[in-house]
Structure formats: structure tokens, C-alpha cells
Amino acid sequence: MAAKPTRLDSVRQDPSLKEQILASLRSAIIDGRLVAGTLYSVQSLATDLGVSRTPVREALIDLESRGMVRFERNHGVRVLETSVHDLKEILTLRLLLEVPATFRAAEQLTPEQLAELRELVEDGESLLQGKGKRPKSQYDRVLDIDRRFHAAILQASGNRRLAEYVDHLRDLLSMRGLYTMAAQRDLGQYLGEHREIYDALERQDAAAAAAIMRRHIIDTAHELLRRAGDESGELDWAEVPPATVGS
């Protein structure tokens, strides 16, 4: 029997209805209000959101394409769980995609894109120093800065689809609550790596920027995998020499 959802964010009927429903469901999956492994009926979700079934089903189809849920015929939709094997695949994909994207970004960053990255780096440094307002917890703020920093580099690489795809991969990590690595890793070191990447991008040193990004992702992957129960914390393909880019 499908579970009844609770505490979903209500939405309003307007042209962006599907986007609102998608955002509400995605948020509920990531923060655990919709529980991994649990089956929900489309009607119960629609009722909780205060909307009809059709836009909810459309949003769920989008989430299914992202690997977050799975439709089960005549039963409803199940929130998927992320295994350690899944995590290794996701983190390996990030390694293979973001390193060459960083190299590419270094070659074509606009002044506006560089300014955006600098602002994110400085926001992180101010956070550590206790400056500025904190509308979220320090941990949540670090994750927000990290997500925006990586997204900005991917956008600067000139591949919009790549940026969207990696953002979806990050959602799959968040589903397990594993992006709490900020509470485990030293924040100064973690955000300091953002500064190192930025400095390399600013001087248009593509090789250095890509190498630092590679180390940044591998170090994060090791922590996430250990927290997921993989004692070695080793990432598949981490020792494979990066492909030559920019040649």
C-alpha cells in the first residue's frame, strides 16, 4: 500500500505550475520528507500539493528521467535509493565531466563569469570569518556556495546540457543525505580549494585549474564514500590519467 506524503510545499495554479511541483517534489525527496524506498500514489501527492494529478504526473516523469523515482505499474511511484555502487558511478561521472569542463572554462571565461566566481569564493571566505548574514545554517550555506560555484564553471565551459546533467547528479548524491561532507571535512580546506581553482582560472592556467578540480572532486568523493560505508573510500577511475584536453 502506498504511503501518504506529509508536509509537501503547497503550490499555486499558474503557468509555472509544473516547475513549482517539480521543485516541491525534488526538495521533499532530497530532504527526506518523501522517504527513499517508499511507494507513493500520484493522487496522494496531488492531494497533498493541492493540485490535479496531471501536472504531478508530468513532474514525476521528469524526476524519473533524473533517476530519483520509478513508476510501478498500477501501484504508484517509488522514491529510489542510492547504493554505494551508484555513488561510485555518479562521482566517477563528475570526475570525468567536470575536469575537462574546467579546462575549457579557463580558456573562455568572460569577465562577468569570472566576477561571479570571485563573489562565490569571497562569500565562502566571509562565511568562515563569521561575516554577513546567515539565513541558512553554515552547513547549508556551504553547500549552496559549492553548488553554485561548480555550476558557474560548467556554464562557463559553454555546455549548458553538461551543467544541467551534473546538477542532476548532485541531486542523486543529496538523496542519501551524503552532501553533509561539509560537516566532516575541514571547511577552510574545502572552500580554500575553491580559491585555488578560481586563482588558476583567473590567470587562465587551464591545466592547473583542471588538476585542482580533479583533486577537489576526488577528495570529496573519498569522504562521501567513507560516510556511505565504503571503508576504502576509493573512487573508481581516480587513478586513470585524465584525457588530454584542449589539444
Side-chain angles (χ1 to χ4, degrees):
M1 181 177 179
K4 185 182 184 303
T6 57
R7 302 187 304 279
L8 294 183
D9 301 328
S10 62
V11 298
R12 297 180 179 180
Q13 300 275 359
D14 62 33
S16 64
L17 181 61
K18 179 185 173 182
E19 286 72 22
Q20 289 187 63
I21 293 171
L22 179 63
S24 179
L25 293 172
R26 172 183 168 276
S27 175
I29 290 170
I30 288 174
D31 67 23
R33 283 174 291 158
L34 291 178
V35 181
T38 303
L39 183 70
Y40 297 93
S41 75
V42 176
Q43 183 58 62
S44 67
L45 292 169
T47 299
D48 206 53
L49 289 165
V51 298
S52 65
R53 286 169 49 94
T54 300
V56 173
R57 184 172 180 80
E58 291 174 352
L60 288 168
I61 289 172
D62 193 322
L63 291 173
E64 184 176 43
S65 72
R66 302 184 189 191
M68 300 182 78
V69 304
R70 180 184 65 235
F71 279 96
E72 297 189 1
R73 187 176 179 83
N74 299 325
H75 290 89
V77 64
R78 188 178 301 278
V79 178
L80 297 180
E81 298 178 275
T82 307
S83 68
V84 172
H85 178 74
D86 293 331
L87 292 176
K88 285 190 174 184
E89 290 189 341
I90 292 164
L91 291 162
T92 296
L93 282 171
R94 285 196 58 193
L95 180 67
L96 297 176
L97 294 172
E98 291 194 61
V99 173
T102 303
F103 189 105
R104 179 67 171 164
E107 297 180 318
Q108 58 186 34
L109 269 168
T110 67
E112 293 76 18
Q113 290 168 331
L114 194 62
E116 179 185 2
L117 287 169
R118 181 173 62 250
E119 182 178 353
L120 288 169
V121 170
E122 291 174 350
D123 282 350
E125 292 171 344
S126 295
L127 178 65
L128 291 182
Q129 296 168 10
K131 297 178 181 179
K133 296 181 180 179
R134 297 187 187 181
K136 302 179 180 180
S137 69
Q138 185 182 61
Y139 153 68
D140 286 339
R141 181 64 178 141
V142 167
L143 294 191
D144 180 55
I145 289 172
D146 181 67
R147 190 166 199 141
R148 291 164 60 198
F149 181 79
H150 284 261
I153 291 174
L154 291 166
Q155 291 283 356
S157 75
N159 193 322
R160 177 182 56 81
R161 288 183 175 84
L162 175 61
E164 292 177 355
Y165 181 65
V166 171
D167 198 54
H168 295 167
L169 292 177
R170 293 177 69 102
D171 279 347
L172 296 177
L173 295 176
S174 299
M175 284 172 65
R176 261 186 83 131
L178 286 174
Y179 251 124
T180 54
M181 52 79 192
Q184 302 294 321
R185 289 188 67 191
D186 178 81
L187 291 184
Q189 175 188 348
Y190 188 74
L191 294 175
E193 290 168 2
H194 283 191
R195 167 61 74 175
E196 291 181 53
I197 294 168
Y198 170 78
D199 288 344
L201 291 171
E202 184 181 36
R203 62 178 184 268
Q204 295 184 305
D205 189 338
I212 300 166
M213 177 62 80
R214 185 172 186 273
R215 170 166 52 86
H216 181 61
I217 293 173
I218 290 174
D219 288 349
T220 299
H222 286 170
E223 182 61 46
L224 292 175
L225 289 170
R226 282 194 293 268
R227 295 197 64 220
D230 186 308
E231 294 184 3
S232 71
E234 293 301 317
L235 179 63
D236 295 342
W237 296 38
E239 301 306 317
V240 176
T244 302
V245 290
S247 59

